[in-house]
């Protein structure tokens, strides 16, 4: 029992083990029960699953509030909302990858499921590194804040920039350096086929595996924004990691509903850009006003207003007839 109460990254070990056990149980239930047959996920099922994950994420926030106090509870909720919103921007990229590689809907869940396992590990590494840097060099939070402001301004200036995946350097490198089948091979990531040049059986990647790699790389790129954003809200590694993972777990379920109506969120990127500028600015603002920390309640309220405004404006503009 003493071992379980020992602190690990600022919190008792039992809290970390309990969270990881919950995540493992959710993934096992998802793959082993809900999607054992690899069926196509319809919008209704997607919305129900997403609602379940959001409710679970909020309930976990209640646990954080009860266990660590009101301040930590509000920080978790703010982090959860911010990470969920930033992760939604990833939906645009995922939909583009699936479309370019012609991945049918009934196989997309398989890619996203295995992708989330990679995300859990990659985010743990990045957050662990970030937590170490923040604890050793407190001034690095100002670097994170300045980076968020720069990224937000850059997103506002670039706007809706089209991406040509055919020229993606990672995709070009993999197709040049590895054997890749021309078409999908069922739900398999790798197959063995005859190499025409040698007549021998060789292992080939399939487009399904290329999609998995591209989505993992996209998450690393998005994490460069999201990890500094959550550290600008709280430096508690437990809150940082749990809010990240709960936001991403639910997004996978929500993807299948959002993918069909992506065009209705045309101005969400601008709202996210404003949000990044705000999150980065509040660290400097707190110093200018002589505050120990920007009030968590204000941060949550302003975040909600920015996101709600962006979503409402997007729905209003895209509902009007286009001329």
């Amino acid at each position: 029992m003493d071992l379980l109460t020992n602190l690990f990254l600022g919190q008792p070990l039992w809290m970390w083990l309990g969270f990881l056990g919950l995540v493992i149980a959710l993934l096992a239930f998802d793959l082993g029960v809900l999607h054992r047959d690899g069926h196509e996920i319809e919008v209704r099922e997607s919305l129900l699953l997403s609602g379940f994950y959001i409710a679970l994420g909020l309930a976990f926030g209640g646990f954080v509030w009860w266990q660590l106090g009101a301040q930590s509870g509000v920080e978790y909720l703010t982090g959860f909302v911010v990470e969920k919103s930033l992760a939604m921007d990833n939906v645009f990229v995922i939909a583009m990858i699936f479309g370019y590689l012609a991945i049918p809907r009934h196989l997309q869940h398989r890619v996203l499921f295995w992708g989330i396992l990679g995300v859990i590990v990659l985010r743990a590494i990045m957050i662990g590194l970030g937590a170490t840097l923040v604890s050793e060099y407190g001034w690095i939070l100002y670097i994170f804040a300045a980076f968020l402001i720069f990224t937000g301004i850059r997103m506002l200036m670039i706007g809706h920039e089209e991406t040509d995946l055919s020229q993606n350097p990672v995709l070009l490198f993999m197709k040049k350096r590895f054997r890749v089948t021309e078409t999908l091979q069922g739900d398999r990531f790798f197959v063995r086929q005859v190499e025409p040049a040698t007549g021998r059986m060789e292992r080939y990647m399939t487009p399904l595996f290329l999609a998995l790699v591209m989505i993992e790389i996209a998450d690393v790129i998005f994490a460069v924004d999201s990890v500094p954003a959550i550290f600008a809200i709280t430096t508690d590694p437990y809150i940082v990691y749990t809010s990240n993972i709960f936001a991403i777990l639910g997004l996978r379920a929500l993807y299948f509903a959002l993918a069909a109506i992506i065009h209705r969120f045309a101005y969400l990127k601008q709202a996210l850009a404003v949000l990044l500028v705000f999150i980065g600015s509040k660290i400097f603002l707190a110093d200018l006003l002589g505050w120990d920390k920007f009030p968590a309640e204000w941060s949550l309220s302003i975040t909600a207003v920015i996101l709600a405004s962006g979503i409402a404006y997007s729905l209003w503009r895209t509902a009007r007839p286009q001329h």
Side-chain angles (χ1 to χ4, degrees), residues 305-317:
V305 169
I306 291 172
L307 293 173
S309 300
I311 293 172
Y313 184 70
S314 294
L315 295 175
W316 175 67
R317 283 298 300 269

Side-chain angles (χ1 to χ4, degrees), residues 144-217:
F144 285 170
F147 174 75
L148 291 174
I149 295 171
F150 169 78
T151 302
I153 293 173
R154 183 172 178 272
M155 284 173 64
L156 284 173
M157 294 176 63
I158 291 176
H160 299 283
E161 188 179 73
E162 294 295 327
T163 302
D164 184 6
L165 278 183
S166 64
Q167 299 303 312
N168 184 277
V170 175
L171 205 54
L172 292 174
F173 174 81
M174 293 188 70
K175 286 185 174 181
K176 182 178 180 180
R177 297 292 181 181
F178 302 100
R179 299 180 181 89
V180 182
T181 61
E182 293 294 329
T183 60
L184 290 166
Q185 305 294 312
D187 64 352
R188 301 174 68 182
F189 290 125
F190 296 93
V191 294
R192 293 185 66 82
Q193 291 186 353
V194 175
E195 168 63 51
T198 63
R200 293 185 299 183
M201 294 292 290
E202 301 288 355
R203 183 181 294 272
Y204 279 72
M205 295 177 180
T206 70
L208 204 65
F209 184 74
L210 292 185
L212 176 61
V213 172
M214 293 293 291
I215 287 172
E216 292 288 2
I217 292 174

Side-chain angles (χ1 to χ4, degrees), residues 135-148:
S135 64
E136 292 293 326
Y137 312 101
W139 51 263
I140 205 167
L141 281 175
Y142 295 96
I143 303 296
F144 285 170
F147 174 75
L148 291 174

Side-chain angles (χ1 to χ4, degrees), residues 212-242:
L212 176 61
V213 172
M214 293 293 291
I215 287 172
E216 292 288 2
I217 292 174
D219 180 74
V220 172
I221 294 172
F222 277 98
V224 173
D225 291 336
S226 67
V227 171
I230 188 64
F231 271 110
I233 295 169
T234 176
T235 55
D236 186 331
Y238 187 78
I239 298 176
V240 170
Y241 189 60
T242 55

Side-chain angles (χ1 to χ4, degrees), residues 13-313:
L13 183 60
W14 71 265
M15 290 181 64
W16 286 101
L17 294 177
F19 169 72
L20 293 176
L22 176 60
V23 171
I24 291 171
L26 285 171
L27 292 175
F29 179 70
D30 191 320
L31 184 64
V33 178
L34 296 180
H35 302 106
R36 184 171 48 187
D37 57 355
H39 65 279
E40 179 177 333
I41 298 179
E42 301 295 341
V43 173
R44 181 177 180 276
E45 181 183 355
S46 175
L47 290 173
L48 288 173
L49 276 174
S50 181
F52 167 74
Y53 278 114
I54 291 174
L56 194 60
L58 294 175
F60 191 84
F63 164 76
V64 171
W65 190 304
W66 170 67
Q67 189 67 33
L68 302 179
Q71 174 76 15
S72 295
V74 174
E75 288 176 351
Y76 169 89
L77 183 57
T78 305
F80 177 74
V81 172
V82 169
E83 293 300 317
K84 189 79 166 177
S85 305
L86 291 175
M88 282 179 66
D89 199 31
N90 211 349
V91 170
F92 294 82
V93 176
I94 292 172
M96 187 167 51
I97 291 170
F98 282 153
Y100 178 76
L101 294 172
I103 308 298
R105 284 179 63 88
H106 71 278
L107 294 178
Q108 290 175 6
H109 179 270
R110 175 173 168 79
V111 176
L112 293 174
F113 175 85
W114 290 107
I116 195 65
L117 295 181
V119 169
I120 290 172
V121 175
L122 289 172
R123 290 293 174 99
I125 294 171
M126 296 183 73
I127 289 170
L129 178 61
T132 302
L133 290 173
V134 169
S135 64
E136 292 293 326
Y137 312 101
W139 51 263
I140 205 167
L141 281 175
Y142 295 96
I143 303 296
F144 285 170
F147 174 75
L148 291 174
I149 295 171
F150 169 78
T151 302
I153 293 173
R154 183 172 178 272
M155 284 173 64
L156 284 173
M157 294 176 63
I158 291 176
H160 299 283
E161 188 179 73
E162 294 295 327
T163 302
D164 184 6
L165 278 183
S166 64
Q167 299 303 312
N168 184 277
V170 175
L171 205 54
L172 292 174
F173 174 81
M174 293 188 70
K175 286 185 174 181
K176 182 178 180 180
R177 297 292 181 181
F178 302 100
R179 299 180 181 89
V180 182
T181 61
E182 293 294 329
T183 60
L184 290 166
Q185 305 294 312
D187 64 352
R188 301 174 68 182
F189 290 125
F190 296 93
V191 294
R192 293 185 66 82
Q193 291 186 353
V194 175
E195 168 63 51
T198 63
R200 293 185 299 183
M201 294 292 290
E202 301 288 355
R203 183 181 294 272
Y204 279 72
M205 295 177 180
T206 70
L208 204 65
F209 184 74
L210 292 185
L212 176 61
V213 172
M214 293 293 291
I215 287 172
E216 292 288 2
I217 292 174
D219 180 74
V220 172
I221 294 172
F222 277 98
V224 173
D225 291 336
S226 67
V227 171
I230 188 64
F231 271 110
I233 295 169
T234 176
T235 55
D236 186 331
Y238 187 78
I239 298 176
V240 170
Y241 189 60
T242 55
S243 62
N244 252 268
I245 299 306
F246 267 118
I248 295 168
L249 281 173
L251 184 78
R252 192 183 77 255
L254 187 58
Y255 165 79
F256 294 95
L258 288 180
I261 54 172
I262 283 178
H263 64 284
R264 296 301 307 276
F265 297 90
Y267 297 92
L268 179 60
K269 185 176 287 290
Q270 283 82 349
L272 293 177
V274 173
L275 180 59
L276 288 178
V277 172
F278 162 67
I279 293 172
S281 299
K282 70 188 185 72
I283 292 180
F284 297 106
L285 185 60
D287 280 353
L288 288 174
L289 296 175
W291 295 343
D292 184 46
K293 200 171 186 180
F294 195 89
E297 297 81 1
W298 291 18
S299 183
L300 177 58
S301 300
I302 295 171
T303 295
V305 169
I306 291 172
L307 293 173
S309 300
I311 293 172
Y313 184 70

